[in-house]
């Protein structure tokens, strides 16, 4: 790694940065390490607005944490109301650009008004703190408004990414036992309508506890509305204006004083079984993590135009499109559609026109755009950019260099941010005014984050050794539980290394203490920066009438990092393999969502198994990986050889 270039921050960047020196970082880090409770307690007190102060910073009954015990607070109040008493009142909170080219600029005062109106609608429909809402919407301001209105009342929300199918939506709605679904007729993607309400209708056949489907009109297309269940957002909203007094009451709907540990949201993510896990985040600690990292990592300044391209359906969108930026008083850009529509410069066009200064995206997006050629970004003035970010998977040095020179004009630091749905906010990342960057390394843990690398026995691995990445101290934005499954929570995250949180990632630390995250160590794939479990795809495949057995592995992919590769054995029958392959890919889109569609399906007579019958995915991984390099498909595809191998090298 020593031949890699490194990039110290420029004097100009440092001069204006929130944190300017290694010494400042070291002081913060040491303070946090020596007395974590005092460190986080004082930040929470100063940086958040409380209805009632907390009395205890941390109650740690490992692995169950309660942060800021006794405090009363509201996330929506912290994202909106408190800014209205400042100059931020008329500052744009959201800059929205729809895929067809429509736009809206929503100030903090206006966003507050819209959130209050929706909260009143929800109240009028009978919802209150403790209820649960599933949100399935396109990337439009009303998605952010829905999150904030739920948070205002204490309704626990679960956003389901619009790319998930009706089946996946149903599984989540049932697991959460939601009473309310908020959706839209559809949204725009690559010029086509994604019909969301149709999927909601299909998902609700077996969800008797859902009382209402609140539906926003976005695409204006014909949809079915079920009497007594489905209500239009705009009709409910209009009904608030019966009198001047009623309008005023609706627009000042007070934020409910909630417990610090009130469940803010549940976000489903893939685990190592076929069933997604509902990651539970609560109120005050999550908010503190999201807000502080805006200042530390994104070096947020009052005049920044900040754009995180993630969909709000993923945790990155929760923390860095909605809650973090708004809590920090930033202007957050929301774009509805695809990055290549109508052309490959859509992102750069938005950066130029909106004068985006901080830009946060994924390695997958960067690689996809590299392939289209430099003339797309070069046709735009990107000089407003001052800081770039990357998230979702390790960024390969070549993509890093391109991002740095072609997009950042060799002027903008890149923050490579490592974190997870479970961590709630960024854990390992350079502070851009402090750290000398090494392409491919997420560099150093943030203040208050104590990480280590351990071997298979849980012993510290030391420097320059590959091992498991763990987090050794509780932190405010940490996962609190798996919704409805505390046993899985304990087993999954806290049983491998006693007392420590197991991330599921492999990593290495170099001699300077920099972390290099290598990837997952479990049966979880990372496709375009989205987590997908091999088991989930396998169990969907074996649901199909033609499939006897299936084994799924991630194979290296130039753009998406990993792609789904499925090995399938068929039931007896006369199958037309070409059309079956198409059908199975479509089947996965139906069962999980289009983004989970296998890149490749290989029909095989048998799967390599151990004597005890366990599929040896490791061998399959080797096959798909080496194929990609050697291109020799014919001999490797002969899986009877592999079964033979498997018998010789029994792994169990
Ligand atoms: C997994 C978490 C929260 C970010 C969006 C994905 C991988 C994420 C990095 C990075 C190397 C990374 C890890 C992690 N990952 N960021 N900067 N460098 N790997 O959230 O779906 O919860 O996935 O994404 O493997 O465990 P997620």
């Amino acid at each position: 790694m020593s031949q890699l270039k490194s990039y110290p921050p420029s004097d100009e960047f440092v001069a204006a940065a929130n944190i300017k020196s290694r010494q400042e970082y070291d002081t913060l880090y040491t303070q946090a390490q020596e007395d974590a409770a005092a460190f986080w307690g004082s930040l929470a007190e100063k940086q958040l607005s409380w209805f009632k102060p907390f009395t205890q910073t941390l109650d740690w009954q490992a692995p169950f944490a309660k942060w800021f015990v006794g405090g009363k607070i509201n996330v929506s109040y912290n994202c909106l109301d408190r800014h209205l008493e400042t100059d931020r009142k008329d500052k744009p909170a959201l800059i929205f650009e729809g895929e067809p080219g429509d736009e809206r600029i929503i100030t903090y005062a206006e966003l507050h008004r819209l959130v209050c109106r929706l909260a009143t609608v929800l109240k009028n429909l009978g919802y209150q703190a403790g209820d649960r809402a599933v949100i399935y919407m396109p990337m439009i301001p009303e998605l952010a408004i829905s999150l904030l209105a739920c948070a205002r009342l204490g309704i626990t929300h679960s956003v389901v990414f619009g790319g998930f199918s009706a089946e996946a939506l149903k599984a989540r709605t049932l697991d959460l036992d939601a009473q309310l679904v908020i959706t839209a007729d559809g949204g725009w993607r690559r010029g086509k309508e994604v019909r969301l309400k149709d999927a909601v209708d299909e998902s609700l056949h077996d969800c008797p506890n859902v009382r209402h489907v609140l539906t926003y009109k976005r695409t204006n297309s014909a949809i079915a509305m079920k009497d007594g269940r489905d209500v239009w957002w705009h009709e409910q909203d209009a009904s608030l204006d019966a009198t001047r007094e009623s309008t005023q009451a609706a627009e000042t709907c007070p934020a409910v004083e909630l417990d610090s540990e009130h469940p803010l949201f549940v976000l489903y993510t893939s685990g190592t079984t076929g069933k997604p896990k509902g990651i539970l985040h609560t109120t005050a600690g999550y908010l503190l993590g999201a807000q502080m990292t805006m200042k530390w990592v994104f070096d947020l300044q009052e005049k920044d135009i900040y754009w995180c391209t993630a969909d709000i359906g993923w945790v990155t969108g929760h923390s860095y499109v909605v809650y973090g930026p708004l809590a920090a008083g930033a202007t957050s850009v929301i774009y509805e559609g695809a990055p290549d529509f109508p052309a490959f410069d859509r992102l750069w066009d938005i950066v130029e026109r909106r004068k985006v200064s901080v830009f946060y995206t994924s390695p997958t997006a960067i690689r996809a755009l590299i392939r289209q050629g430099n003339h797309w970004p070069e046709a735009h003035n990107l000089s407003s950019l001052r800081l770039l970010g990357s998230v979702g998977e390790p960024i390969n040095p070549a993509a890093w260099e391109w991002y740095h020179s072609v997009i950042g004009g060799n002027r903008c630091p890149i923050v490579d941010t490592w974190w997870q749905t479970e961590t709630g906010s960024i854990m390992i990342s350079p502070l851009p005014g402090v750290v000398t960057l090494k392409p491919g390394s997420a560099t150093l843990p943030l203040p208050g984050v104590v990480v280590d690398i351990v071997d298979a026995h849980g012993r510290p691995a030391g420097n320059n050794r590959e091992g498991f990445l763990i987090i050794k101290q509780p932190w405010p934005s940490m996962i609190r539980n798996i919704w409805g499954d505390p046993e899985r929570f304990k087993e999954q995250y806290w049983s491998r290394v006693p007392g420590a949180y197991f991330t599921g990632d492999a990593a290495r630390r170099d001699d300077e203490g920099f972390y290099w995250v290598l990837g997952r160590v479990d049966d979880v794939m990372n496709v375009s920066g989205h987590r997908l479990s091999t088991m989930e795809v396998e169990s969907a495949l074996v649901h199909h009438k033609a499939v006897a057995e299936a084994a799924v592995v991630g194979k290296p992919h130039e753009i998406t990092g990993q792609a789904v590769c499925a090995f399938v054995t068929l039931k007896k029958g006369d199958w037309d393999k070409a059309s079956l392959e198409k059908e199975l890919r479509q089947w996965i889109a139906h069962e999980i969502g289009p983004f989970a569609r296998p890149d490749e399906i290989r029909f095989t007579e048998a799967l390599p198994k151990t004597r005890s019958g366990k599929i040896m995915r490791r061998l399959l991984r080797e096959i798909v990986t080496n194929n990609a390099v050697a291109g020799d498909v014919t001999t490797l595809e002969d899986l009877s050889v592999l079964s033979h191998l498997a018998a010789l090298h029994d792994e169990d």
Side-chain angles (χ1 to χ4, degrees):
M1 292 289 158
S2 54
Q3 76 275 23
L4 282 179
K5 284 198 252 168
S6 59
Y7 298 81
S10 68
D11 294 344
E12 197 190 336
F13 191 92
V14 175
N18 286 327
I19 299 179
K20 296 181 198 301
S21 69
R22 180 65 192 244
Q23 195 195 339
E24 231 176 300
Y25 162 82
D26 288 339
T27 308
L28 277 174
Y29 196 88
T30 314
Q31 272 174 8
Q33 201 167 25
E34 281 168 1
D35 192 346
F39 176 78
W40 289 118
S42 120
L43 283 179
E45 225 175 274
K46 291 191 195 115
Q47 302 284 331
L48 305 180
S49 296
W50 296 86
F51 297 123
K52 183 170 167 249
F54 52 92
T55 49
Q56 185 188 0
T57 301
L58 173 63
D59 173 8
W60 178 228
Q61 313 285 335
F64 297 101
K66 287 185 184 150
W67 282 91
F68 313 121
V69 182
K72 296 278 185 205
I73 189 166
N74 185 290
V75 167
S76 164
Y77 182 94
N78 275 270
C79 289
L80 301 168
D81 307 51
R82 66 166 159 167
H83 301 312
L84 304 188
E85 296 145 26
T86 71
D87 290 347
R88 291 184 184 141
K89 183 167 176 285
D90 300 314
K91 174 177 177 171
L94 301 177
I95 296 180
F96 168 68
E97 189 149 323
E99 197 187 73
D102 50 325
E103 59 168 41
R104 283 157 72 190
I105 295 180
I106 302 176
T107 64
Y108 272 93
E110 176 66 358
L111 187 59
H112 173 265
R113 194 178 73 84
L114 295 171
V115 168
C116 284
R117 289 183 70 99
L118 179 62
T120 306
V121 164
L122 298 181
K123 255 203 307 208
N124 291 348
L125 290 172
Y127 296 98
Q128 58 180 9
D131 289 335
R132 273 124 16 235
V134 160
I135 302 177
Y136 188 63
M137 290 195 98
M139 274 288 281
I140 56 176
E142 281 65 27
L143 173 50
I145 290 167
S146 297
L147 269 66
L148 292 161
C150 286
R152 198 163 187 86
L153 300 181
I155 299 169
T156 302
H157 63 69
S158 185
V159 184
V160 178
F161 170 56
F164 276 111
S165 69
E167 280 300 314
L169 182 61
K170 177 169 100 184
R172 287 154 178 75
T173 307
L174 284 172
D175 189 76
L176 189 70
D177 193 20
Q179 297 92 347
L180 168 68
V181 176
I182 306 179
T183 190
D185 43 4
W188 297 111
R189 181 120 188 136
R190 276 198 193 94
K192 293 210 186 82
E193 186 192 8
V194 179
R195 293 184 58 88
L196 297 168
K197 176 64 164 58
D198 289 354
V200 169
D201 291 344
E202 196 186 327
S203 78
L204 290 183
H205 288 315
D206 309 306
C207 302
N209 293 343
V210 170
R211 296 203 305 266
H212 292 106
V213 178
L214 181 66
T215 309
Y216 184 79
K217 202 187 258 289
R218 165 71 182 148
T219 53
N220 249 316
S221 60
I223 55 166
M225 293 293 277
K226 187 174 168 186
D227 256 359
R229 184 194 73 185
D230 300 353
V231 289
W232 282 111
W233 179 311
H234 61 270
E235 286 176 6
Q236 295 293 313
D237 183 75
S239 76
L240 302 173
D241 298 321
T243 64
R244 197 164 347 130
E245 289 71 29
S246 68
T247 300
Q248 218 211 335
E251 294 184 356
T252 49
C253 174
V256 175
E257 300 189 8
L258 299 166
D259 212 80
S260 292
E261 284 295 334
H262 186 80
L264 176 64
F265 68 84
V266 172
L267 190 57
Y268 286 86
T269 187
S270 295
T272 48
T273 72
K275 189 177 185 282
K277 346 175 238 196
I279 307 301
L280 172 65
H281 283 289
T282 59
T283 297
Y286 171 79
L287 180 66
L288 185 65
Q291 184 183 317
M292 289 317 300
T293 45
M294 285 302 299
K295 182 175 164 201
W296 288 337
V297 176
F298 296 113
D299 186 46
L300 190 73
Q301 320 252 331
E302 198 58 51
K303 57 183 189 316
D304 274 324
I305 306 290
Y306 163 92
W307 185 16
C308 164
T309 65
D311 193 288
I312 294 172
W314 307 107
V315 74
T316 309
H318 282 59
S319 301
Y320 297 109
V321 177
V322 182
Y323 290 125
L326 297 179
T331 296
S332 182
V333 175
I334 294 183
Y335 168 56
E336 177 185 27
D340 55 0
F341 189 88
F344 293 105
D345 62 348
R346 186 67 187 259
L347 302 185
W348 318 129
D349 175 58
I350 294 175
V351 168
E352 177 173 16
R353 280 188 293 103
R354 303 298 175 188
K355 299 198 165 44
V356 171
S357 55
V358 180
F359 181 75
Y360 188 31
T361 196
S362 66
T364 290
I366 295 166
R367 288 191 296 261
L369 291 167
I370 289 175
R371 199 154 81 164
Q372 302 308 325
N374 292 2
H375 58 288
W376 293 106
E378 278 165 5
H380 293 275
N381 178 354
L382 304 180
S383 63
S384 57
L385 291 170
R386 65 177 195 90
L387 177 60
L388 302 173
S390 169
V391 64
E393 59 181 303
I395 178 164
N396 49 307
W400 196 103
E401 297 285 352
W402 184 87
Y403 197 25
H404 188 255
S405 61
V406 179
I407 304 306
N410 296 310
R411 171 186 78 246
C412 310
I414 297 176
V415 288
D416 176 356
T417 62
W418 179 89
W419 60 297
Q420 310 176 297
T421 304
E422 291 86 344
T423 69
S425 58
I426 297 166
M427 298 277 106
I428 305 179
S429 167
L431 299 188
V434 173
V435 175
T436 292
L437 307 170
K438 300 183 199 177
S441 170
T443 77
L444 301 171
L446 296 183
V449 177
V450 185
V451 291
D452 203 357
I453 313 266
V454 297
D455 66 17
H457 306 286
R459 290 185 295 246
N463 286 352
N464 298 314
R465 284 250 164 72
E466 189 175 318
F468 301 121
L469 180 66
I470 61 164
I471 308 178
K472 298 202 292 187
Q473 264 183 24
W475 65 101
S477 66
M478 68 197 286
I479 175 178
R480 294 303 195 272
N481 211 333
I482 292 179
W483 185 259
D485 203 345
E487 285 312 311
R488 191 175 178 193
F489 171 65
K490 285 191 232 169
E491 195 269 325
Q492 186 91 61
Y493 301 110
W494 303 93
S495 64
R496 291 287 285 268
V497 183
Y501 169 85
F502 188 77
T503 64
D505 277 349
R508 190 175 65 77
R509 186 176 54 227
D510 69 18
D511 287 326
E512 285 182 273
F514 279 37
Y515 284 81
W516 300 77
V517 177
L518 303 163
R520 305 287 310 182
V521 294
D522 48 15
D523 286 324
V524 173
M525 299 170 285
N526 188 328
V527 179
S528 302
H530 299 146
R531 212 192 294 184
L532 190 61
S533 112
T534 55
M535 284 286 294
E536 214 174 327
V537 182
E538 284 167 12
S539 63
L541 281 169
V542 297
H543 262 121
H544 188 277
K545 60 180 191 306
V547 176
E549 264 192 317
V552 167
V553 292
K555 73 168 191 183
H557 188 278
E558 211 188 322
I559 295 194
T560 58
Q562 283 188 314
V564 178
C565 180
F567 292 81
V568 171
T569 66
L570 296 174
K571 290 183 184 157
K572 284 215 163 45
D574 194 13
W575 307 107
D576 170 1
K577 292 207 175 132
S579 66
L580 189 58
E581 180 175 346
K582 263 199 212 136
E583 192 178 317
L584 288 178
R585 298 181 76 241
Q586 195 43 41
W587 176 254
I588 295 299
H590 177 263
E591 292 286 293
I592 302 173
F595 70 95
R597 234 184 242 139
D599 194 55
E600 192 180 336
I601 294 179
R602 300 193 191 187
F603 295 109
T604 168
E605 291 303 314
L607 293 169
K609 288 184 186 167
T610 61
R611 275 193 212 116
S612 58
K614 215 168 97 185
I615 296 170
M616 298 178 74
R617 282 206 196 74
R618 188 177 56 78
L619 286 180
L620 298 174
R621 262 197 301 270
E622 278 164 24
I623 293 173
V624 298
T625 308
N626 295 336
N627 262 359
V629 180
D632 185 0
V633 191
T634 41
T635 53
L636 287 165
E637 195 105 295
D638 184 1
L639 289 167
S640 61
V641 173
L642 264 177
S643 330
H644 197 69
L645 243 175
L648 291 174
H649 298 273
D650 201 323
E651 279 196 322
D652 270 13

